């Protein structure tokens, strides 16, 4: 083998090793947990997420995995702002019929400044893509959330 090939392979191996080490450091579980906690704090007005905390009692591994991967890895990515990410989540959850998580993410969306009318538009869009039964279920879930929020505001005044 020619010396230039040896050098090239050595440089490539060192570069690959450095990339793998940097990637492992960036993906350290502690870092992801911290990023996940920051996402929760941002979405939930500085409060803990009740569903996640309940899960932590019975299923601590699942709660940690959710916080570190779903929130710390996926939700903390820089490609979308939090508002856009929540609108996408609301649409996906309405379309798949997951009303419990729809309520949680619609609440986050409201916390981030999304209006009730914008959430209603998401539901209207779901009629075309996922059908009326899913959209109707989503509208009922959002109506309940809106009523809870209004009641909470009235009780504080």
């Amino acid at each position: 083998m020619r010396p230039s090939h040896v050098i090239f392979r050595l440089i490539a191996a060192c570069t690959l090793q450095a990339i793998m080490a940097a990637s492992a450091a960036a993906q350290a579980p502690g870092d992801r947990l911290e990023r996940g906690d920051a996402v929760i704090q941002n979405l939930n007005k500085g409060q803990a997420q009740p569903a996640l905390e309940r899960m932590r009692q019975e299923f601590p591994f699942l709660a940690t995995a959710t916080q570190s991967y779903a929130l710390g890895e996926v939700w903390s990515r820089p490609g979308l702002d939090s508002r856009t990410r929540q609108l996408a989540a609301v649409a996906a959850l309405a379309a798949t019929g997951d009303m419990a998580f729809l309520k949680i993410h619609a609440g986050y969306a409201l916390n981030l400044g999304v209006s009730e009318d914008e959430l209603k538009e998401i539901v209207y869009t779901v009629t075309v893509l996922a059908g009326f039964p899913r959209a109707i279920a989503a509208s009922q879930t959002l109506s309940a959330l809106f009523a809870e929020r209004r009641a909470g505001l009235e009780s504080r005044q």
Side-chain angles (χ1 to χ4, degrees), residues 33-107:
L33 280 171
E34 288 175 16
R35 286 194 312 267
D37 186 55
V39 169
I40 292 167
Q41 297 296 313
N42 177 50
L43 296 177
N44 212 30
K45 293 186 172 182
Q47 302 296 313
Q49 207 297 319
L52 184 62
E53 294 311 311
R54 284 190 303 274
M55 186 188 339
R56 203 177 302 283
Q57 300 302 311
E58 295 273 343
F59 299 93
F61 175 79
L62 184 57
T64 299
T66 300
Q67 183 175 341
S68 67
Y69 177 71
L71 299 168
E73 187 67 27
V74 177
W75 287 91
S76 65
R77 290 175 54 81
L80 295 173
D81 62 26
S82 294
R83 187 180 192 284
T84 303
R85 202 174 296 277
Q86 287 309 312
L87 288 172
V90 167
L93 293 164
T96 60
D98 192 333
M99 297 306 129
F101 281 106
L102 169 67
K103 186 175 181 181
I104 291 169
H105 285 274

Side-chain angles (χ1 to χ4, degrees), residues 123-131:
V123 169
Y124 298 148
T125 303
V126 167
T127 63
V128 175
L129 303 170

